[in-house]
Amino acid sequence: MTPEIEVDETSGHLEIRTAQYTARIDRRRLLADVTGADGGSWGRLRLLASVHALDGPDETVQVERIDHEFHDGVVRVTVACTSSRWSGRTQVTEFHPGAITFRATVRGHGRVTTVHLLGGARLPQGMLPSGAGHRTVFSPNPDHPWRIARPAVEPAVISVNGEGGEPGVGRWLFTPAPTCFGLSRQPADDDRQLPAGPWLMVGLATERRPFVEFGYDPTPGGFSLRCEYQGHTLVEDAFTTPTVLLLFGARDPYDGLGRYRDELVARGLTPPATTRSLADHWRQPIFCGWGAQCALATDGDSSAPDLSRQALYDELLTTLAANGVVPGTVVVDDKWQAEYATCRPDTGKWPDLAGFIAARHAEGQRVLLWWKAWDPEGASDEACVRDPDGTPVAIDPESPLGRSVIEDAVAHMLDPDGLNADGLKIDFTGRTPSGTALRHAGPSWGFDLLHELLAVAYRAAKRVKPDSLIVTHTPDPGFLDVTDMIRLNDVLHLDHPEGRTPPPGVNGSAVVKQMTYRGRVVQAACPEMPVDTDGWCLPGQEDLVAYAAAAPTLGVPALYYADQMDLERGRVVEATWAAIAAAWAAYRRLHGLVFPHRLQSYGGET
């Protein structure tokens, strides 16, 4: 439907009506009062932004003009402001039949720190946010061990930076998640269940993303959006912010994430979803030794990384096979390397890693090696992002030496003349460098720098072994070209107050609900991507059985345990093994996958 425009010159209001929403512009206060097709309020959008810089804040001194034009079914409202920091700032809001978009442009010179969108600083009032009409926010970034809905008064962050074990920044599980939030006018009676729609999706569209995080910042009765650039983006003439997309009419947030992906495709920012050709071995059930390492570490003085040992992995695989559970893919986890950056085996723990991999190949299995993104251990200072004292904090993929270190490590891991592994499980992307004072070689930062790191590793892997499998936990559509499979990541936040124990009265279904939510995020935003369902760490065997049954509906089954678990003491019982074996057998039959042939003698699938 083409919007009908009514302009009330006496009141100074501009009203825009479409089949999806009605927007009434208050020129004096720079607000768009938006109601949905059902008449319910979506709040009052502030047609204002601030682009702060290292040498000072961006505050609106005065509004110079407000113009509107109607062309090709789109109403464009332009607000030009005098800025305290820039030579000028212009905000452009476009009203499309099913969407509203917003962006701002500043002119001048400086280094951008923080960008506020749909809200900004205005003299003498201070920070003015948008008015909120919603009660619930959906974030595609799992930062809580159980819930999937949050009240509108709680902030949410989508980031390439997060840290397990540190309070308040436990958002590393998807780094990054799709840069899109969902808003509902209904309250969430149960934070493990999404309230009814309709849902309004609020996301970003931009070609370059040199920011480390995209935040939803609430206030009592209001909200704004924020991007953190940290002073690493230089403006020499003009800078345009990411475009905010407000997409109306989604049935639920997963439908909304699909629409968000479609909008990115329409703008040429990501390719359309097409069926990818997947090697059969990519679909095989996965065993990762990390959970078993953790379980054994609880019984002794050794740390879990110290228990990444060749003899132990041989024992673990023998135990699994004896119980009828034989993975097609084996992940050798942290810390098989002597040094994280160079990726040569620690021969004290792995005396013959190449021989271990060759033995797995002889049994019809594949091996992925765990690669810790960003870690500078073993790299020269010049290959790294450094702090003000010159201390390396991360490999720098835009440094020629940093690229060389990554390429050499990947080649050694995958080349037949090296270790001859079959791919990489890339972890710790949440360690993307963050901080204004850090020094680095190139122009990228934040999302863009992480993408460059993964691109260097991905291209190197495909040059050496085209059918190698690269697994990441980056379900943002902008990272589709640097990954082959998305991992749902750790089930629990062990450092969270609610991390070790499910909510009262809830058993294994809590794990299934949480991981289903993550799986649906991936399926909505990146439907062409296969999924590694993970499986560490689980509260107990009841959860292990429940998730083993549910995981094949989400993606590739994965197992992290052999003979015991880390949170529930005691050996894994026969009934648990039988349930896992049955789930894997059914999964293999469904996908026509071959059971590793030489291991059938252990009594596994036929």
Side-chain angles (χ1 to χ4, degrees):
M1 168 181 172
T2 300
E4 296 180 10
I5 302 176
E6 296 180 0
V7 180
D8 185 340
E9 298 292 349
T10 58
S11 64
H13 289 150
L14 169 69
E15 187 170 288
I16 302 160
R17 296 195 300 270
T18 79
Q20 293 286 348
Y21 65 88
T22 297
R24 194 165 185 263
I25 311 298
D26 183 333
R27 297 171 185 267
R28 181 179 65 84
R29 301 171 70 190
L30 301 183
L31 291 172
D33 194 341
V34 179
T35 56
D38 59 1
S41 174
W42 283 116
R44 293 175 293 172
L45 302 179
R46 185 79 60 177
L47 311 184
L48 193 64
S50 283
V51 179
H52 302 306
L54 272 178
D55 58 353
D58 173 20
E59 299 171 316
T60 296
V61 178
Q62 65 180 7
V63 178
E64 297 174 356
R65 71 179 193 280
I66 304 174
D67 302 322
H68 71 272
E69 58 180 331
F70 176 42
H71 183 69
D72 289 340
V74 176
V75 179
R76 180 179 293 109
V77 175
T78 302
V79 178
C81 299
T82 302
S83 164
S84 63
R85 171 58 188 78
W86 305 98
S87 59
R89 178 179 5 92
T90 302
Q91 291 93 169
V92 176
T93 309
E94 293 184 346
F95 299 86
H96 300 255
I100 298 173
T101 68
F102 176 87
R103 66 183 183 275
T105 298
V106 295
R107 297 194 175 278
H109 299 266
R111 289 189 173 273
V112 177
T113 53
T114 300
V115 170
H116 292 289
L117 301 164
L118 298 181
R122 185 175 183 179
L123 299 175
Q125 297 100 320
M127 177 64 186
L128 295 176
S130 293
H134 56 281
R135 304 280 298 279
T136 299
V137 173
F138 169 90
S139 172
N141 195 22
D143 57 6
H144 189 280
W146 307 116
R147 68 179 184 182
I148 60 174
R150 70 186 71 213
V153 294
E154 181 177 321
V157 172
I158 296 165
S159 179
V160 291
N161 185 265
E163 185 66 56
E166 294 295 334
V169 289
R171 50 176 183 258
W172 79 95
L173 297 174
F174 285 171
T175 42
T179 50
C180 185
F181 299 109
L183 313 180
S184 171
R185 295 195 296 263
Q186 303 301 318
D189 297 327
D190 181 344
D191 60 11
R192 301 185 302 274
Q193 299 284 349
L194 293 174
W199 287 78
L200 173 64
M201 305 306 293
V202 181
L204 294 184
T206 182
E207 185 172 356
R208 295 195 64 242
R209 297 189 290 180
F211 47 83
V212 297
E213 70 180 46
F214 169 47
Y216 163 86
D217 290 351
T219 61
F223 78 100
S224 59
L225 304 175
R226 173 179 48 83
C227 294
E228 291 292 347
Y229 290 77
Q230 299 185 329
H232 295 274
T233 295
L234 174 64
V235 180
E236 296 183 294
D237 179 26
F239 168 81
T240 298
T241 69
T243 297
V244 178
L245 305 175
L246 295 103
L247 307 176
F248 292 84
R251 299 185 306 275
D252 56 46
Y254 308 113
D255 173 50
L257 287 174
R259 297 186 185 200
Y260 172 63
R261 169 70 185 276
D262 291 343
E263 184 65 28
L264 296 181
V265 171
R267 291 169 175 264
L269 298 174
T270 193
T274 56
T275 301
R276 292 193 175 192
S277 177
L278 307 180
D280 280 348
H281 65 270
W282 290 11
R283 299 179 183 271
Q284 282 282 357
I286 299 167
F287 170 71
C288 177
W290 177 249
Q293 292 171 226
C294 291
L296 289 171
T298 62
D299 291 334
D301 297 328
S302 297
S303 68
D306 186 56
L307 290 169
S308 179
R309 295 177 176 272
Q310 186 167 343
L312 174 61
Y313 271 67
D314 283 332
E315 292 175 10
L316 298 174
L317 292 169
T318 299
T319 297
L320 293 178
N323 287 281
V325 176
V326 179
T329 298
V330 176
V331 177
V332 177
D333 213 285
D334 187 16
K335 182 192 189 208
W336 61 268
Q337 311 96 321
E339 295 174 323
Y340 284 123
T342 56
C343 294
R344 266 49 177 185
D346 181 339
T347 55
K349 295 189 289 184
W350 288 89
D352 186 10
L353 180 52
F356 172 87
I357 293 171
R360 293 302 103 213
H361 289 169
E363 301 289 6
Q365 296 170 306
R366 304 297 178 111
V367 177
L368 305 183
L369 295 178
W370 184 86
W371 185 60
K372 188 179 182 184
W374 298 114
D375 200 296
E377 183 185 34
S380 66
D381 293 359
E382 294 75 15
C384 297
V385 178
R386 287 172 278 178
D387 70 13
D389 294 329
T391 303
V393 298
I395 285 285
D396 187 348
E398 291 189 317
S399 156
L401 284 174
R403 285 196 301 272
S404 177
V405 169
I406 297 168
E407 290 168 345
D408 177 75
V410 171
H412 180 73
M413 287 187 280
L414 303 186
D415 196 290
D417 293 330
L419 298 176
N420 199 24
D422 303 287
L424 307 177
K425 173 185 174 181
I426 298 180
D427 205 354
F428 280 79
T429 48
R431 292 279 179 89
T432 300
S434 179
T436 299
L438 295 178
R439 295 180 291 167
H440 53 104
S444 300
W445 196 245
F447 282 61
D448 286 349
L449 192 64
L450 173 59
H451 185 276
E452 184 61 23
L453 175 87
L454 296 179
V456 172
Y458 189 86
R459 290 193 295 261
K462 298 302 180 178
R463 282 197 299 268
V464 174
K465 188 169 288 186
D467 68 344
S468 59
L469 173 60
I470 308 301
V471 182
T472 72
H473 46 97
T474 60
D476 177 88
F479 287 75
L480 287 166
D481 60 333
V482 293
T483 187
D484 298 317
M485 179 180 285
I486 300 296
R487 173 173 156 246
L488 301 186
N489 217 327
D490 298 355
V491 175
L492 298 184
H493 292 206
L494 295 180
D495 58 308
H496 194 283
E498 301 175 47
R500 291 178 180 265
T501 307
V506 177
N507 52 26
S509 66
V511 166
V512 172
K513 286 181 179 179
Q514 169 67 199
M515 302 306 278
T516 298
Y517 141 65
R518 299 187 202 178
R520 292 191 69 184
V521 167
V522 179
Q523 291 163 1
C526 307
E528 64 269 61
M529 297 300 295
V531 169
D532 168 1
T533 57
D534 205 271
W536 182 84
C537 89
L538 293 165
Q541 292 190 49
E542 182 179 11
D543 306 272
L544 182 57
V545 170
Y547 193 45
T553 67
L554 303 177
V556 178
L559 177 66
Y560 278 65
Y561 300 106
D563 51 0
Q564 66 187 69
M565 301 181 72
D566 38 12
L567 296 186
E568 181 182 83
R569 308 312 296 153
R571 297 289 177 178
V572 175
V573 300
E574 183 177 346
T576 298
W577 286 126
I580 297 171
W584 282 22
Y587 168 82
R588 281 186 166 116
R589 286 194 299 271
L590 178 65
H591 293 283
L593 300 175
V594 176
F595 185 83
H597 60 285
R598 289 187 58 184
L599 295 169
Q600 292 185 27
S601 60
Y602 287 103
E605 300 154 271
T606 58

